[in-house]
Each structure stands twice: as structure tokens, then as C-alpha cells.
Amino acid sequence: MSALLNDVELVDRILAHVDGNSTDKGTSVWREPAANYSSPERFAVEMEVLRRVPMVFCPSAALPEAGSYIARTTVGTPLLVVRGTDGIVRGFRNACRHRGMKLEEGEGCKRAFACPYHAWTYGLDGALRHVPGEDGFPDLVKEEHGLVPVAVQEKGGLVFVTQGTPLSDGALPDTPDLLPPDYVVFNKIEFDDPANWKLIGETSMEGYHIKALHNQSFYPYGYDNLNIVELHGRNSRIVFPFRRIEKLRQLPREEWNVQGRITDVHQLFPNTHLSFLSSHVLLTILEPVSPSQTHWVVYQLAPRIKNGKPLDIAEARRDANFVQDSGLTEDRRAACAIQAGLASGANTHFTFGHYEQAIGHFHRHLAEHIEKLEAHQE
Ligand SMILES: [Fe+2]
């Protein structure tokens, strides 16, 4: 994988676009059938793809110590993800091996998991440790009744889960290391929107709509349709510069740094966005619930130390609330309005042009994965 542009390269390209009133452009147009946003059959196939690729489950920082766990349904499967005493993150299907009771809800930190039903107890490594009244189960082989594992990989500050048989060799997350280890989670929010997960994802993948949709929120600080777009592996990076980046012209190139001067969005295939904003980082996982329903899992993070100073939570929260209440709300409304408009039958397909190349890249890879899946099933 080629390295992403560094700060100086980014600034050079941004300033050239400012001067030339231009933007990064793709070379092809993608036409996506509108039915792919509402069809239950298509949705079922997409869910199977999502189960068989490394999918971001949470930031590493959400599992800070041995015993830290998160129980959440992801792509329809209740999972329990936990950091062991050896520091390794493991994932399991969240069901007791006795009668299938859900072991845990929510998140926390424990030394073992005791089933709320009959108190069968499992270690952080998933091994069945204790069965009350064990003589009532004369033939029970405890070694065969550990929690059922799912594949977990931790890379670059992110925890990835692959629930099913991987679609690609080794199925390592093809993401660069993005989240430095000193980031901490300062807030987590979850909510639902009546829109297909891809419609929501698409709103973060282009800046062609900044002036029209974000006229009073993002546009006063940024530009319309001025983005740097880098396609890397199955993923993409979309950079939205702030107007204040032009002040760098007065500084020597060696001092150019983009911190606080861009919004840096990484679309991580298939359903995650990692966005570096002025004073915080947003990790957004879009959990598909149905063709027209998506559950958002949003982590807000910030570095423990910034410019030598300890994290100012109030500043990070202000930045997070601004994004949440203004631009993000506008994007959510747009996705929901498109979903509602599908019933109009006006469009047989949607067209993503040269300014929307990251979306075409996403759909191309999703289509390739679906082809792979169908080839496996033949
Ligand atoms: Fe937007």
C-alpha cells in the first residue's frame, strides 16, 4: 500500500487547488442501482460480506485494560469483545454454552463472565471455568464448552472483527495505522436513522455538497468542492481543508502542519469512518439493521496530551457538539430524505461523478466482494 500524503504534500496540493479554483477529480463515473438501497435480497448479501471482512468494532482505547469488554450486536450477531490479562483482544459470540443466554450487556471491566441464568462462568479467554453443581452434567467436557470465538485483530488503534470465513486471503485489515496510542475515548453515543447504511456513509465521502447542504455550518469555515482524495486499498481518505490553511503561505514549508486546518476523513471499508476534526476524532461505525434502518455507534476521542498540555475535555466536547449539531445533522437528514425518496421511483440508479470518486471506489469494492462471495457459494 502506498503511503498517504504527508502534511507538506497535502498543503501543496490544497493551495494549488485554492489558487486554481479546482479539486481532486476521479476519472470514471459510477452508476449504482437505486434498488440496492432498499432490496432485502441485496441487504442480506451485503450483511454476509460485512461478516466476512475485517470490520471495525471499536477503538483500542475503548478497551483500555485487562478485563475491559464491550457487548454489542454487530451485523446481526451479538458479540462480546474483551481484552485479556495478556493484553490481547479476543471476541466471542455472546451466548452461554449451557442454554444460550446472553452473557453480557453494554460495557465494563470484569475478571470473568458469569452467565446471569445459571452462573456458568467463563474466563477472559473464553474458557469455561466453573459450572455450579457440575455433578449434574456427568458427561460435560468443559474444554469443548468454551465461548465460541470470532477472529479479532488489533491494528493502528482499532479493533477489527471478522465473524465469518474471510473473503480474502488472511483478511488483514488493509488500513494504515491511523489512531495514535495516546488517544482516549471521552464520549460514546448511539442512535438510529431510517436510512440505508450506504446512504449515510456516502455523505462523508465527498465535498461536492458543502456549499449547498452545509451553507451555514461547514461552508463558512471551508470551501465548496475542494478536496484531496486518496484511494488506498479498499479505503479512501477525503480531506476537507479549512480556509485558515491559507495562512500557512506565510510560514516556511518546514513548519507546515495540517493540525486544526483540515478535516481528515478516512472511509474504512466497509462501514466505518475515522474523522480527524479540529479538536477531536470521530469514529463512526454504521451498523446495518435493515435496508432502511442504521444504528450509529459513535466514539469521540482526543489525545491525552496535545501541544504539551493535558486534554481539555471541554474544548473537545465543544468541537464534537458543533459537528454533531450542525453538519452531521444536515448529513443525516439528507440520507433519510434520500431513503424516503426511493419510494418515488424517480431513479433507476444514482450517478456518482468525478467529484465523488471515493463513493465509486467504495461501491466498486463492495461489488467485487459480492462477486467473490457468490463465487465461493457456487
Ligand atoms: Fe456533508
Side-chain angles (χ1 to χ4, degrees), residues 74-108:
T74 179
V75 206
T77 312
L79 293 185
L80 173 60
V81 173
V82 56
R83 191 178 296 281
T85 44
D86 54 3
I88 293 172
V89 180
R90 295 179 181 81
F92 308 100
R93 291 173 190 268
N94 188 7
C96 179
R97 298 300 310 283
H98 173 216
R99 303 260 300 274
M101 175 77 176
K102 193 187 261 190
L103 272 185
E104 289 297 337
E105 303 267 3
E107 49 194 82

Side-chain angles (χ1 to χ4, degrees), residues 21-59:
N21 192 23
S22 55
T23 184
D24 279 7
K25 284 170 77 177
T27 52
S28 61
V29 169
W30 181 268
R31 288 156 60 96
E32 181 69 8
N36 285 355
Y37 297 92
S38 60
S39 149
E41 294 75 27
R42 166 74 183 205
F43 181 77
V45 173
E46 289 175 355
M47 294 281 273
E48 192 54 23
V49 167
L50 264 59
R51 289 187 193 102
R52 295 174 61 164
V53 294
M55 225 185 81
V56 173
F57 182 83
C58 67

Side-chain angles (χ1 to χ4, degrees), residues 233-252:
R234 299 175 279 210
N235 313 299
S236 54
R237 175 195 201 183
I238 306 98
V239 173
F240 301 75
F242 293 118
R243 291 171 200 253
R244 55 181 178 259
I245 202 161
E246 294 182 48
K247 290 192 182 139
L248 290 179
R249 292 185 205 269
Q250 291 141 31
L251 292 180

Side-chain angles (χ1 to χ4, degrees), residues 203 209-210 213-214 218 327 331:
T203 64
H209 70 273
I210 295 296
L213 188 69
H214 302 304
F218 293 154
D331 284 332

